Structure formats: structure tokens, C-alpha cells
Amino acid sequence: MTEESINDVLLNTMAQSMMAYAILVSNDTASIYFSGTVIIHDGDACILTAKHCLKAIDISNGLRIVSKSYSSGVLVPNPKHCYLEDVDLGLIYIPPAYLERLNVSPRNITRINSNTAGPGKEVYFLGFPASIVNVQGNVVHPTPLYYRSIVSERCPSREEFDGH
């Protein structure tokens, strides 16, 4: 087995395990969509996502949440949500009945702090960027993107960042 095929097997295995708690969120017409991670904190289930995604969607008609196990998804009417002003993070509350239907395995999060991704540590991202999602009619066919990086020893200034 070549090193490249070993890496492919490793990445596919990791992506499959992450799919247990990764979901796709869309508006009721599936014209806007983004990904998130289902987490549990103090007994409440939420979708952890990017603030720029959450701010870009009109939730007045509800949000459709799709999981690998429940591809038709659930429509959550007017979900509770919040986001941080100074960080690109948002949360969407998932009522217990909807969580059960999605059949996901939420990540138990006790705290998130800046030490979680300190210099030299590995960070991972699994998502469904809109640029690689295939939409046929009103059916969304997400293609997962898996990203791995090592946090730089040098902290860049805010001016060095472009986009998200």
C-alpha cells in the first residue's frame, strides 16, 4: 500500500466518523445551505456553525436540518439561535424531538477556549462548502470537505486575514 493510499484510507475513515455529528442546514427552499457540528452542552443540543452562515439565512420559515442518517431532514420552525459579534461562531438550538429523528451522535463540549487550538496543535475541519455542493431541483447533495492543518507558531494580525 502506498503512502498516498494509506492517507486516503485514514482521511476517509476520519471523515466517516465525523459524519456521525456533521449536519447540513438549509432554508426551507434549499437555496441557501451550510454545514455544522451537533454538540451537547449542559444537556442542550445545538449546531455549532459559522456566524457568517447563520447571518446569511432567513430563518423565519424555519431551517431544514439534514444528517447522514436522515437525508430527508427535519424542518425546525423558527429555531432559537445566537452568534458572537467578535468571533465567527454561531449556535442553533435543536429541540430534543428533532435531535432524535436526525439520529446523530453529538459531540459533548464542556468548554471551548483559545488553548484548544494553540501553536503547534493540529486542527481539523469537516464541512460542506457551497462551492462543492450539488443541487438538483430542491435536493441537496453535499460533498464533504475535510481539512487538516497545524496552528502556526506565529499569531497573524487581524489585517492579514482575508475573508473567513
Side-chain angles (χ1 to χ4, degrees):
M1 202 175 227
T2 67
E3 184 177 337
E4 185 174 309
S5 63
I6 290 171
N7 282 338
D8 287 344
V9 169
L10 175 65
L11 292 178
N12 286 335
T13 302
M14 292 176 71
Q16 287 302 312
S17 69
M18 290 179 195
M19 291 294 287
Y21 47 84
I23 50 83
L24 185 73
V25 178
S26 73
N27 59 352
D28 60 331
T29 62
S31 60
I32 298 176
Y33 39 85
F34 55 88
S35 59
T37 300
V38 180
I39 63 169
I40 294 278
H41 178 71
D42 288 340
D44 290 326
C46 294
I47 298 168
L48 179 64
T49 191
K51 172 182 71 177
H52 69 271
C53 294
L54 188 53
K55 288 182 79 170
I57 196 165
D58 175 13
I59 65 170
S60 61
N61 291 328
L63 292 178
R64 180 161 303 281
I65 303 170
V66 176
S67 68
K68 182 180 179 187
S69 301
Y70 198 66
S71 59
S72 58
V74 295
L75 185 62
V76 180
N78 201 21
K80 296 178 189 176
H81 65 286
C82 66
Y83 48 82
L84 301 173
E85 285 302 327
D86 58 340
V87 180
D88 196 17
L89 289 177
L91 287 174
I92 304 167
Y93 172 72
I94 307 175
Y98 295 105
L99 181 65
E100 190 174 310
R101 287 174 55 196
L102 289 168
N103 191 26
V104 293
S105 301
R107 304 301 298 169
N108 189 6
I109 303 292
T110 54
R111 68 181 181 161
I112 299 174
N113 62 39
S114 59
N115 292 330
T116 304
K121 292 190 178 179
E122 291 182 276
V123 292
Y124 303 90
F125 166 80
L126 176 70
F128 303 89
S131 60
I132 60 173
V133 171
N134 181 16
V135 179
Q136 296 172 352
N138 279 343
V139 179
V140 178
H141 300 276
T143 301
L145 168 76
Y146 175 79
Y147 176 77
R148 174 193 169 270
S149 186
I150 297 176
V151 178
S152 174
E153 294 290 330
R154 182 183 71 80
C155 184
S157 68
R158 285 183 182 254
E159 290 74 35
E160 291 180 76
F161 286 101
D162 182 22
H164 306 292

